[in-house]
Amino acid sequence: MIVVEQVGPLATIQDLGRPGWFDSGVGPSGAADRSSLRLANRLVGNPEGHAAIEVLLGGLALRAEEHATFAVTGAPAPAAVDGTPVGHASVLELEAGQVLRLGYASVGLRSYVAVRGGVDVPPVLGSRSRDTMSGLGPEPLAKRDRLPIGPSPRTLPTVEFAPVAEPPAGLVAVHALLGPRDDWFTDAAALFDGVWEISTDTDRIGARLERRTGPPLTRKDKAELPTEGVTLGSIQAPPSGQPVVFLADHPITGGYPVVAVIIDADVDAVAQARPGQPVRFVRAVSGQDPTGHA
């Protein structure tokens, strides 16, 4: 077992989600920054899809009840074991009673804590992910929670440290393809002019954008569309003109026009962008997959 000693703003259990339930009205959810979850699992020798802990900003403390192997990736929250600083994106061995404590990250938004064997809470519809929009999956972590660790996989950690770059502290460049409803705007290409910034109104459902420089994104028609499907990375534009980039817990349908879709490779970068951080949209080149999803 892992015992939760302290929780910061938010910590949830996440894996790579529950695809295949769109026809039942359930989105995939899963880690907001999938590459960081995969890396954390690889560091401890897990399959990439094992459940781990997604930590908003930091502030989490975990006590191992017996020897366990951990890794922390994503936003570089300073980590310490029993007060001794330890490396980011590295393999951490905790003995019984030792506490892994995360401070608060200075860049990035979400850190990931993986344990060898995975967090073995009961799956819901094939996934251990918490969907904050629908309420599916395990509850957000709270002090004194006890989390079971699954059986150790047969694979072993192959490296002790992964030299990955930190999330950018400045401008985030995001590639996107216009459509499918760019014809609802007087000039949809205005999305690529100037700079946007991440609003404080941001969570696992989506990142709202505000204009920092450049022309407004103006709709021709203030009406709502008939409800239609939307995918991860869709940029939906309500009548306010403040676009929303859909993230892991996004609704699967919507009635506002989608002006563009971010390519799958750049969704993780948006999930790590902090409120106030500047974002510039870049036209994706022909052949880049806008979603990476069926």
Side-chain angles (χ1 to χ4, degrees), residues 229-240:
V230 290
T231 188
L232 180 70
S234 296
I235 307 173
Q236 192 183 70
S240 68

Side-chain angles (χ1 to χ4, degrees), residues 27-52:
S29 190
D33 178 354
R34 297 153 297 167
S35 60
S36 291
L37 174 78
R38 290 186 174 108
L39 175 60
N41 274 319
R42 290 199 304 270
L43 281 167
V44 298
N46 286 340
E48 290 185 347
H50 267 30

Side-chain angles (χ1 to χ4, degrees), residues 56-89:
L56 182 65
L57 290 174
L60 181 72
L62 304 172
R63 175 166 52 84
E65 289 194 333
E66 58 185 42
H67 175 267
T69 303
F70 291 85
V72 183
T73 61
V81 175
D82 284 356
T84 300
V86 293
H88 185 71

Side-chain angles (χ1 to χ4, degrees), residues 110 131-134 202-207 232 244-251:
R110 296 176 170 94
D131 186 328
T132 59
M133 183 173 185
S134 70
T202 291
D203 55 22
R204 281 181 47 85
I205 296 170
L232 180 70
V244 178
V245 179
F246 281 151
L247 299 177
D249 290 350
H250 69 86

